Amino acid sequence: MTVTAPPREAPAPPPPARPSAGRRAWSLWLRWWRRLTAMRTAIILLFLLALAAIPGSLLPQRSLSQTNVARYFADHPTLAPVLDRFYLFDVFSSPWFAAVYLLLFVSLVGCVLPRAAEHARALRTPPPAAPRNLLRLPDSARLDTPLDGPAALDTVDEELRVRRYRVVRREGPAGRELSAEKGYAKEAGNLLFHLSLVALLVALAGGKLWGYEGSVLVTEGRGFCNAFQQYDTYSAGPLVEGGDLSQLCIDLDDFRAEYETDLTAASFRADIRFGGPGEEGRRETIGVNDPLRVDGDRVYVTGHGYAPRFTITTPTGQTFEDLSAPFLPTDQATMGSEGALKLPDLGADAESQLAIRGFFAPTGVVQNGILTSVDPRPLEPRVAIQAFQGYLGLDTGRPQSVYAIDQEQIDRGALSQVGSANLAVGETLTLPDGTAVTFTGYTQFAALQLSHDPGQVWVLGAAIAVLVGLLGMLLLRRERVFARVGPGTDGGGTVLTVGSLTRGGGEGGERFTALTDDLRAALAARVPARPTPPAGGAPSDPEVPTP
Amino acid sequence: MTVDTTLADLSDALFSVTVGLYSLAVIAYCAQLAFGRRPAVRRELVGAGAPVGPPADDVPVTEPRSVRRYGMAAMALTALGALTHLGVLLFRGLATDRLPWGNMYEFATGVVLVAVVAFAVLAVRRPALRHLGVFVLGPVVLAMVAIGLFLYAEAGPLVAALRSSWLAVHVSTAILGFGIFFVSGIASVMYLLRLRHDARVAAGTAAPGGLLDRLPAPAAIDRVAHRTAVFGFPIWTFAVIAGAIWAESAWGRFWGWDPKETWAFIAWVVYAAYLHARSTAGWRGGPAAWVNVVGLGVMVFNLLYVNMVSTGLHSYAGVN
Ligand code: HEM
């Protein structure tokens, strides 16, 4: 027995029962924990996650395009730094995005684990006792039968077991009764779904921590090895060390781009050789939608372009052949490309370095002195070049793009333009100092990307499990059927009441009707097979009420 | 590969025929609604003392013959329109010798076809839902006209990135999911309108007997919305997963928060929230339906804004 609380007016004793700080903190924690793991919180967090993703698609993101972010900064010089302070150009790696999904993650774990435990228990406990009034259930029926109670319940039992229900019989206060349940797989599907979501997040995070990706432009006849120094750009997870990279080298033998008659790109194929450093390598052809997959690494063709080739003869008569640099396509439809060739070592000293800036057209047309490209195929290659002489500023420590001449060097007069021309293959531009620049043709290059993501198979597995769990949860139903027998109204026989409760998968009405029809038939089939037992005969009841 | 222009022209002609047939269907659905009996009257006759039974979902089947005939005509026109609609895609596919969902025009046309078929199937199984016909076929006609005007693209070959068997898997399921969500979203809109109307009637600020009274009962409309969303959600989930698998071989990573990926994810989350909201106290009914409407908004936004305004890797952006 509990002791009644003292009346309010009693002088308040020193509060010994006041919970300690630790205990108060614990109960506060519990309250917050319950709130966090409530379904309502999950919905709100889901919404927050969706909301949080929106700026990531409306504003340029560094992870997608540094150039677009730089352009945004240039266009909105006052707004951009403010947005940047809120990580709005790195939404998907921002602390607040992480906060939302971590909370969701905790909420998910907090709600799913107890449910999993409960489900495990439910699998071992028999279906619950029948509710008092079966006729109040969404679907219910009353069947009259001349059979006695146990025999009638036997029939129900059999019908339900055939339908793969778990059945238990009890002696209830309102008479003999039966409870049956099926569709545990629905709950299992639900748990699988939610647990797989957690697994998916974990696999995703693992891939980010241990994965890396590098991109490099490779001209035909050249190659690269898998090392961070060799990439033009790369990104690596925090747990990747340079020494962990797989020993893989790729050589590009040949690149082909094919086009439909309307110049739609039909295919890009790169013939490569791959293998360990120094090896001859195995041959393979890769292309769009068809990467090289080797030992957990993948190599993709992500783009292509042209590298115009030049031969340069200096005034002293020295000739340098096959000088080339990749020009980046500025128009994917016609492959008009821009780039620069920097030659710091050609001149006599650091003040007479040579550079060529140019526009390459695979099929060029010159109108009024302006070169434009009209076809992505190299049918009539031409370049428009400007030659500069002076100091390129490569060793000033300021980074410069390899695809452009540093405009600042030109502006401050360190570099000056000494000639320009539109050249077809074989034509030469002679500079005032006697240097001859000859356009000799082009080589193609491919943009290759090597990716390593150890998490991705796990993500795929988890995603498939999510889908399977989802189908189980949405398509299966959980059904409970209860039955109870009572004495017939007119003294003889039995009144059998049956009721059912369904969760998920639409109404149970039709199936319940089918069940009661079958029951009626089964009851009727039993009647003539068995003479009416003497009144009061104690029938055996195989199942004992459970605790 | 060359485009067979005869077949391409046939496809374009069928597009106009389809719009015409759907417009006629809208008129027939309107007639059915306008001349139909008013279930509100029937409800009054049943009275408050009626036994608690299943909710009176369905509009009475005892409609006058003439009205039934409008309904049948509307259904027939819908079915015929769906056939020519199918022809639009079929002949485009034959003309270009590929799956007919290589650009936004074809994708959107496919989505609308799925929506019409989904509605037709529902309406055949439950005749009462035919009363929703105007509200489904009306937006369908608007969508078709907009697609024809703004998204039209000449029949042509696929760009290299789309030449993969994943096109069949990913895009087909995306079309299916989107079309089904379309019907679901409209059902939720009608449910919300009907709820508001009923509340006004109850408050005495609106007269009973309007068009909205001739719709199926709110619970029935809401159930249609939920069932279709439940059907569409796993399909959409699959479409997103298939997209990620494709992206892994086409773009070098399975997920990169490309704008289209981001909005597909947002849509997925919103529909997950809708399914949750349906079974969470305090969100059932109106609030959940709003979530579904937001979901449809996100889907449409993803199609239009992300393809036409922002730039991303999805090559559908080819609007000529
Ligand atoms: C604290 C976190 C979560 C809890 C407590 C929770 C709980 C539940 C429960 C109880 C159901 C069954 C609904 C029913 O009885 O009909 C369910 C279904 C579902 N959950 Fe969750 N869930 C959580 C997080 C999530 C998340 C993060 C997602 C997806 C992003 C998600 C997606 C779904 C879906 C799609 C269904 C099916 C809806 C239905 O059957 O009604 N859930 N969840």
Side-chain angles (χ1 to χ4, degrees):
Chain A
M1 260 306 287
T2 45
V3 184
T4 352
R8 280 254 173 103
E9 304 80 43
R18 195 167 162 208
S20 67
R23 204 174 267 182
R24 261 182 303 145
W26 175 245
S27 72
L28 193 68
W29 158 252
L30 262 188
R31 232 186 26 241
W32 277 99
W33 178 251
R34 287 214 189 93
R35 204 169 286 172
L36 178 64
T37 55
M39 185 111 160
R40 182 188 298 253
T41 312
I43 299 183
I44 290 170
L45 286 172
L46 275 175
F47 262 121
L48 273 180
L49 194 64
L51 276 180
I54 291 177
S57 81
L58 301 184
L59 289 169
Q61 297 294 301
R62 290 209 173 85
S63 58
L64 294 173
S65 166
Q66 298 268 9
T67 353
N68 288 355
V69 176
R71 189 176 315 137
Y72 193 88
F73 265 80
D75 293 348
H76 308 85
T78 42
L79 181 61
V82 179
L83 297 181
D84 201 20
R85 198 157 327 134
F86 295 104
Y87 300 90
L88 286 168
F89 302 109
D90 305 282
V91 165
F92 302 107
S93 51
S94 69
W96 47 267
F97 192 76
V100 175
Y101 75 70
L102 282 180
L103 275 178
L104 185 60
F105 183 92
V106 172
S107 167
L108 208 58
V109 171
C111 79
V112 170
L113 288 186
R115 272 182 73 134
E118 197 185 308
H119 184 56
R121 235 173 292 129
L123 281 180
R124 277 177 282 118
T125 43
R132 196 141 359 116
N133 188 350
L134 294 185
L135 295 178
R136 284 245 180 95
L137 292 175
D139 294 300
S140 61
R142 243 185 73 153
L143 309 176
D144 293 299
T145 167
L147 296 178
D148 65 359
L153 276 188
D154 280 344
T155 317
V156 180
D157 198 324
E158 226 166 75
E159 275 305 311
L160 289 173
R161 280 183 202 275
V162 170
R163 290 165 196 246
R164 317 211 9 232
Y165 277 82
R166 244 169 70 183
V167 184
V168 63
R169 281 157 76 163
R170 296 189 177 92
E171 193 67 55
R176 281 172 198 278
E177 60 185 42
L178 170 157
S179 306
E181 180 160 16
K182 81 167 181 188
Y184 294 85
K186 181 183 175 68
E187 179 71 3
N190 186 331
L191 293 171
L192 177 65
F193 173 82
H194 290 90
L195 288 173
S196 308
L197 272 184
V198 175
L200 190 125
L201 285 174
V202 171
L204 216 57
K208 282 271 169 287
L209 291 177
W210 280 283
Y212 60 84
E213 182 175 289
S215 313
V216 60
L217 297 190
V218 182
T219 42
E220 288 167 320
R222 306 252 180 94
F224 74 98
C225 289
N226 184 20
F228 288 145
Q229 313 81 275
Q230 298 215 9
Y231 289 117
D232 297 338
T233 56
Y234 74 90
S235 64
L239 299 184
V240 177
E241 309 220 348
D244 301 340
L245 271 57
S246 53
Q247 303 269 320
L248 181 65
C249 292
I250 310 280
D251 288 308
L252 178 65
D253 290 336
D254 187 32
F255 184 86
R256 297 181 303 284
E258 280 157 25
Y259 295 88
E260 300 288 353
T261 42
D262 70 346
L263 301 187
T264 305
S267 78
F268 303 112
R269 315 250 94 204
D271 292 335
I272 57 165
R273 273 173 296 127
F274 68 97
E279 287 176 21
E280 167 60 18
R282 295 195 349 238
R283 287 175 193 285
E284 184 79 69
T285 300
I286 62 176
V288 178
N289 281 315
D290 186 17
L292 168 72
R293 294 174 192 278
V294 52
D295 295 340
D297 292 333
R298 292 115 54 204
V299 181
Y300 299 89
V301 179
T302 58
H304 72 118
Y306 296 97
R309 262 201 330 256
F310 298 93
T311 295
I312 294 181
T313 310
T314 63
T316 57
Q318 257 185 304
T319 299
F320 299 87
E321 288 183 352
D322 278 346
L323 299 169
S324 78
F327 278 28
L328 296 184
T330 48
D331 175 7
Q332 289 291 342
T334 62
M335 291 304 281
S337 317
E338 286 172 12
L341 182 62
K342 300 181 189 181
L343 304 160
D345 306 324
L346 278 198
D349 52 40
E351 300 309 312
S352 54
Q353 296 173 336
L354 183 66
I356 290 168
R357 178 162 80 183
F359 174 78
F360 174 86
T363 302
V365 172
V366 181
Q367 257 179 345
N368 303 329
I370 308 283
L371 174 67
T372 44
S373 178
V374 295
D375 194 312
R377 294 168 294 181
L379 305 177
E380 183 68 49
R382 283 172 184 274
V383 284
I385 56 169
Q386 297 166 307
F388 292 85
Q389 264 175 332
Y391 175 51
L392 284 169
L394 292 176
D395 48 4
T396 54
R398 269 195 326 125
Q400 18 176 293
S401 160
V402 295
Y403 304 108
I405 293 174
D406 192 356
Q407 185 63 34
E408 214 159 291
Q409 295 298 107
I410 300 174
D411 291 345
R412 74 159 67 112
L415 260 182
S416 46
Q417 186 175 331
V418 290
S420 66
N422 290 325
L423 302 180
V425 175
E427 290 180 348
T428 300
L429 165 70
T430 307
L431 303 181
D433 71 345
T435 306
V437 179
T438 308
F439 173 46
T440 56
Y442 65 90
T443 349
Q444 299 208 55
F445 70 81
L448 298 183
Q449 172 187 315
L450 187 142
S451 307
H452 177 83
D453 183 347
Q456 79 171 24
V457 272
W458 298 96
V459 171
L460 179 61
I464 291 171
V466 162
L467 192 58
V468 170
L470 185 62
L471 287 174
M473 165 166 65
L474 293 179
L475 300 184
L476 298 177
R477 17 187 138 66
R478 186 149 188 188
E479 284 171 296
R480 282 179 179 161
V481 174
F482 304 101
R484 180 175 289 126
V485 286
T489 35
D490 49 4
T494 299
V495 172
L496 174 66
T497 39
V498 187
S500 116
L501 201 58
T502 304
R503 244 185 55 197
E507 306 107 287
E510 282 154 33
R511 274 187 320 285
F512 185 73
T513 315
L515 173 68
T516 44
D517 287 349
D518 286 358
L519 272 179
R520 230 172 249 124
L523 288 171
R526 274 203 177 197
V527 174
R530 216 193 221 235
T532 325
S540 64
D541 194 347
E543 293 214 35
V544 182
T546 40
Chain B
M1 198 233 67
T2 50
V3 173
D4 184 332
T5 46
T6 321
L7 291 178
D9 290 346
L10 176 57
S11 162
D12 293 352
L14 281 176
F15 191 92
S16 309
V17 173
T18 307
V19 174
L21 286 169
Y22 287 161
S23 305
L24 290 178
V26 168
I27 294 171
Y29 283 122
C30 268
Q32 185 193 17
L33 256 200
F35 304 132
R37 204 109 47 90
R38 298 166 189 191
V41 176
R42 185 190 60 134
R43 241 184 286 140
E44 278 159 21
L45 289 180
V46 170
V52 188
D57 285 352
D58 296 344
V59 180
V61 270
T62 55
E63 275 177 327
R65 265 262 195 74
S66 59
V67 174
R68 283 263 298 281
R69 224 175 283 144
Y70 284 126
M72 293 308 289
M75 286 302 291
L77 285 165
T78 307
L80 208 59
L83 270 182
T84 55
H85 197 156
L86 186 66
V88 173
L89 291 172
L90 186 70
F91 288 116
R92 209 161 233 252
L94 290 174
T96 51
D97 194 21
R98 60 173 171 80
L99 280 178
W101 29 89
N103 54 47
M104 246 177 110
Y105 165 74
E106 295 162 1
F107 178 87
T109 306
V111 167
V112 177
L113 174 61
V114 171
V116 171
V117 171
F119 170 71
V121 169
L122 285 168
V124 164
R125 290 174 41 167
R126 286 181 157 260
L129 294 178
R130 289 174 201 176
H131 291 236
L132 287 176
V134 196
F135 305 99
V136 177
L137 267 282
V140 159
V141 170
L142 288 182
M144 290 294 277
V145 170
I147 289 167
L149 284 181
F150 303 118
L151 302 184
Y152 181 77
E154 295 285 341
L158 288 179
V159 297
L162 293 185
R163 300 189 184 192
S164 158
S165 22
W166 285 102
L167 178 73
V169 181
H170 170 61
V171 183
S172 312
T173 45
I175 288 176
L176 259 183
F178 196 164
I180 291 165
F181 284 151
F182 186 94
V183 174
S184 181
I186 287 180
S188 274
V189 170
M190 297 321 296
Y191 169 71
L192 287 169
L193 287 178
R194 179 84 214 249
L195 273 192
R196 208 182 56 171
H197 173 75
D198 285 2
R200 285 199 180 156
V201 169
T205 52
L211 272 191
L212 285 171
D213 279 321
R214 301 184 192 155
L215 297 185
I221 309 180
D222 190 40
R223 214 159 38 233
V224 170
H226 182 239
R227 291 257 189 85
T228 39
V230 162
F231 191 65
F233 190 68
I235 298 179
W236 183 247
T237 308
F238 180 83
V240 171
I241 294 175
I245 296 175
W246 190 4
E248 194 268 346
S249 60
W251 298 334
R253 79 290 180 296
F254 62 88
W255 196 270
W257 297 109
D258 177 73
K260 180 125 293 187
E261 291 170 348
T262 305
W263 283 94
F265 167 77
I266 291 171
W268 190 80
V269 166
V270 170
Y271 281 106
Y274 169 60
L275 296 183
H276 269 97
R278 281 270 318 194
S279 52
T280 303
W283 285 76
R284 285 192 194 100
W290 271 110
V291 178
N292 196 18
V293 175
V294 168
L296 182 59
V298 169
M299 296 293 290
V300 172
F301 181 86
N302 196 6
L303 178 67
L304 298 183
Y305 177 84
V306 173
N307 278 351
M308 300 171 74
V309 182
S310 78
T311 51
L313 290 164
H314 268 84
S315 313
Y316 277 134
V319 184
N320 294 353

